[in-house]
Amino acid sequence: MRILIVDGWTRDGNRSHAHAGVKEQAHVFKSLVRECQPEAEIRIVDTHVVAGPTDLDFSGYDAAVWTGGGGNIYKVDPFNRRQLELGERVLSEVPRVWGSCWGFQVITTVCGGEVAPARRPEMGIAAGISVRSMDFAETLYRGKPRPFDAPAHHFDETARLPREFEIVAENATTLQAVVSKDRRITCTQYHPELPYDYIAKLMLHWAPNYTSIFAEDDFRNLLAGLKKKEKEEKSFRKIEFRNWLGYVRRGG
């Protein structure tokens, strides 16, 4: 099984993870893939280089995984352009694709949807996620408590879903999981791959970004609550990604 992991972060964004004391998100995914499929051949690619992704060979990969990121995909800049160019190639050349948060937003944009500033950003927790009744949902969320909470951190959301996608899960705030009708592409706005306390460390490092969202006491209480939630939900937090990898392995 060959898995391509696309790093959605800029070089500076990855450095901020190191300063926060956590692994880069591409390597979190790599560890999770290895945990689920020990024999997998894994390659991480990024779009930091100015030359872009035009010389990459994607032949022979079974699936691609797109990480979170720190930008706004609707802004016009060289990094976003390279992400979108890479997205077009990945979607056309790799049989199965998973997009997480930023990955969801890149894929939405490539497929003709629209991403916009979130009406209500979700910081730390996406609460009360419900799953729609459909065959693929039962495959993806097999073994997952319902409704459920999930780790989340996003200032943007999908405002218009591409026509070829359908909603798999949502909460009162936004779309939380979608799938293409041919089942090739699966995306979550939340982060099943990231521990809650991992997000807490990032938020503590980025604390000045939240002064307009949280009072100081509320912010500290949220960070403490994220550590507690990871202990409570660790056993089932990443079930959907594990299920998706099994689906890919079976040739679903």
Side-chain angles (χ1 to χ4, degrees):
M1 190 173 185
R2 300 184 69 208
I3 302 293
L4 182 75
I5 298 176
V6 181
D7 186 348
W9 285 89
T10 64
R11 195 180 306 278
D12 286 343
N14 277 330
R15 286 172 178 157
S16 73
H17 283 63
H19 295 154
V22 298
K23 290 197 296 187
E24 296 175 8
Q25 291 185 22
H27 289 278
V28 173
F29 261 126
K30 182 177 181 178
S31 296
L32 181 51
V33 171
R34 187 73 70 205
E35 173 190 316
C36 299
Q37 304 289 344
E39 81 296 345
E41 178 185 334
I42 304 166
R43 178 184 180 185
I44 296 174
V45 298
D46 60 51
T47 50
H48 300 157
V49 293
V50 175
T54 55
D55 61 342
L56 298 176
D57 179 9
F58 297 149
S59 61
Y61 284 94
D62 298 290
V65 175
W66 210 294
T67 75
N72 311 99
I73 196 59
Y74 44 80
K75 292 184 177 179
V76 179
D77 60 49
F79 179 80
N80 283 357
R81 184 180 69 251
R82 292 194 292 272
Q83 288 273 305
L84 294 171
E85 289 172 355
L86 183 56
E88 291 176 357
R89 285 203 56 204
V90 168
L91 292 178
S92 65
E93 298 177 34
V94 181
R96 298 285 183 269
V97 180
W98 174 284
S100 183
C101 194
W102 168 260
F104 181 4
Q105 294 168 12
V106 172
I107 290 166
T108 292
T109 303
V110 170
C111 292
E114 180 183 355
V115 175
R119 294 160 294 178
R120 189 173 71 190
E122 287 180 306
M123 297 293 123
I125 303 170
I129 299 173
S130 61
V131 177
R132 293 201 173 185
S133 179
M134 54 190 290
D135 290 343
F136 187 79
E138 293 305 314
T139 297
L140 191 64
Y141 289 103
R142 184 179 65 254
K144 186 93 168 181
R146 306 178 198 179
F148 62 92
D149 297 345
H153 188 280
H154 62 99
F155 290 95
D156 293 335
E157 65 182 355
T158 297
R160 178 171 53 82
L161 197 62
R163 184 177 303 173
E164 64 268 32
F165 283 73
E166 53 190 338
I167 300 169
V168 179
E170 59 192 330
N171 66 359
T173 302
T174 192
L175 305 181
Q176 294 293 345
V178 301
V179 62
S180 60
K181 293 178 181 178
D182 61 8
R183 306 302 191 247
R184 289 187 55 242
I185 305 167
T186 306
C187 298
T188 60
Q189 184 56 64
Y190 63 93
H191 288 277
E193 77 283 3
L194 297 182
Y196 285 101
D197 50 349
Y198 176 107
I199 290 180
K201 289 179 180 179
L202 283 175
M203 292 185 70
L204 181 60
H205 179 68
W206 295 330
N209 294 340
Y210 311 108
T211 55
S212 64
I213 301 175
F214 298 105
E216 184 174 350
D217 287 348
D218 292 338
F219 183 65
R220 297 293 174 179
N221 289 338
L222 172 62
L223 298 188
L226 292 176
K227 295 178 182 179
K228 180 181 178 182
K229 280 188 77 66
E230 180 59 22
K231 292 180 181 178
E232 295 172 344
E233 301 182 13
K234 184 177 181 179
S235 63
F236 58 82
R237 168 178 50 78
K238 51 197 173 185
I239 278 177
E240 52 269 59
F241 185 74
R242 296 179 67 97
N243 287 341
W244 177 78
L245 278 178
Y247 174 79
V248 171
R249 185 179 178 86
R250 294 189 301 272

